[in-house]
Amino acid sequence: MTNPLAPGSLDGRVALVTGSSRGIGADTARYLAAAGAAVVVNYRSKAPRAEKVVADITEAGGRAIAVGADLTDPASVAEMFERTVAELGPIDILVLNASGGMETGLGGDYAMRLNRDAQVNVVEGALPHLAEGARIVFVTSHQAHFIRTTPTMPEYEPVALSKRAGEDALRAKLPEFAASGIEFVVVSGDMIEGTITATLLERANPGAIAARREDAGRLYNVSEFAAEVASAVAEPIPAGNTRYVGDTSGFAPEA
Ligand SMILES: NC(=O)c1ccc[n+]([C@@H]2O[C@H](COP(=O)([O-])OP(=O)(O)OC[C@H]3O[C@@H](n4cnc5c(N)ncnc54)[C@H](OP(=O)(O)O)[C@@H]3O)[C@@H](O)[C@H]2O)c1
């Protein structure tokens, strides 16, 4: 893992990364903590995994706490913010990484409940607890960001539509964010090698990852993409509030 953030560059800051018990969120939490931020490692159900991320951070000399909260449960989200502020203080960095919708048994509307409704609720719940000049980072995929102009695999379509709906709902808040001095950036990445989502899609569409790798030239792995998310926390806000990671040439821009 190569941290794009300099040691000490986030000293005194508080960061909350949703869904950081594994994958991209976990590596993002590690990068932010190594740069000096006190980090909340949020998870839904995998407490031991979240505690392992916290242990990695603290053993490396950083500061972190694990806070369980199902983001689709407003009471649980409210408790997460109360605990964060009580233990670490106002939040400077909110990374909206948690995502889902390919799980079975959670209801047909689960993708929309998590990727749109819960994201909006998390942001609205966070607003009173954000520090001055705070930054919100929304993590998404090219397959979701461009879903209105470029079709995706059928298994991923409900996730893509719900993530884009979540992105749109948050973008609609840009004037409100600006009025409160809050910065907002979307990080959109291509398929990431080694993730559960990519594995599930490969299982349903054998050869899909190799085909995408060939079209894109290369695919990022988890730690490389997390480094881009961490960079988006610190670098100037890009044009259109969007940081594209990896090739976008196969995706049609909106008219
Ligand atoms: N995978 C890709 O190829 C890819 C490509 C581009 C962008 N992205 C984006 O990168 C982000 C992370 O993706 P990933 O593949 O690393 O995800 P992942 O491995 O599926 O991890 C999801 C994380 O979200 C948490 N989570 C799921 N449902 C939750 C809920 N209801 N409440 C709270 N936390 C919840 C999980 O916690 P538990 O472990 O406790 O369940 C886990 O920590 C997503 O926004 C995704 O769209 C992914």
Side-chain angles (χ1 to χ4, degrees):
M1 285 175 54
T2 308
N3 196 342
L5 304 173
S9 59
L10 295 182
D11 274 355
R13 309 282 192 85
V14 172
L16 190 157
V17 184
T18 65
S20 45
S21 55
R22 68 174 188 228
I24 294 153
D27 279 2
T28 302
R30 290 188 180 99
Y31 287 136
L32 300 181
V39 178
V40 174
V41 175
N42 158 251
Y43 63 96
R44 175 188 49 178
S45 55
K46 306 282 184 337
R49 275 198 215 159
E51 291 297 353
K52 170 77 173 65
V53 177
V54 168
D56 290 347
I57 289 171
T58 50
E59 277 161 26
R63 188 170 175 213
I65 57 171
V67 180
D70 180 342
L71 302 184
T72 62
D73 172 11
S76 166
V77 169
E79 276 171 36
M80 172 176 78
F81 286 125
E82 274 159 33
R83 217 187 123 195
T84 300
V85 175
E87 294 192 29
L88 303 180
I91 301 161
D92 300 280
I93 299 156
L94 173 64
V95 181
L96 300 168
N97 166 80
S99 182
M102 291 177 72
E103 304 88 337
T104 49
L106 293 172
D109 63 344
Y110 181 68
M112 212 47 102
R113 285 197 291 120
L114 175 58
N115 298 328
R116 182 192 59 192
D117 304 343
Q119 305 304 314
V120 171
N121 181 56
V122 166
V123 164
E124 287 175 352
L127 286 177
H129 304 295
L130 293 181
E132 214 181 310
R135 183 174 292 195
I136 299 173
V137 179
F138 178 75
V139 184
T140 192
S141 62
H142 291 348
Q143 287 75 10
H145 179 74
F146 291 104
I147 189 61
R148 289 198 297 247
T149 52
T150 308
T152 188
M153 288 173 256
E155 297 78 12
Y156 189 71
E157 191 173 85
V159 178
L161 288 167
S162 63
K163 284 188 73 77
R164 181 68 219 205
E167 179 184 334
D168 290 344
L170 296 178
R171 282 185 188 276
K173 290 181 176 293
L174 276 169
E176 188 186 339
F177 294 155
S180 311
I182 293 162
E183 295 176 321
F184 177 76
V185 60
V186 171
V187 181
S188 178
D190 207 328
M191 287 169 77
I192 309 297
E193 307 238 31
T195 59
I196 292 170
T197 305
T199 304
L200 290 174
L201 291 174
E202 174 70 18
R203 206 173 286 158
N205 305 271
I209 301 288
R212 186 62 208 133
R213 190 188 304 116
E214 196 164 313
D215 287 349
R218 68 166 288 212
L219 294 178
Y220 283 62
N221 65 30
V222 169
S223 64
E224 288 171 333
F225 185 55
E228 293 286 334
V229 177
S231 297
V233 161
E235 289 181 2
I237 301 291
N241 297 79
T242 312
R243 182 185 186 97
Y244 293 104
V245 181
D247 179 57
T248 56
S249 59
F251 298 90
E254 291 188 344

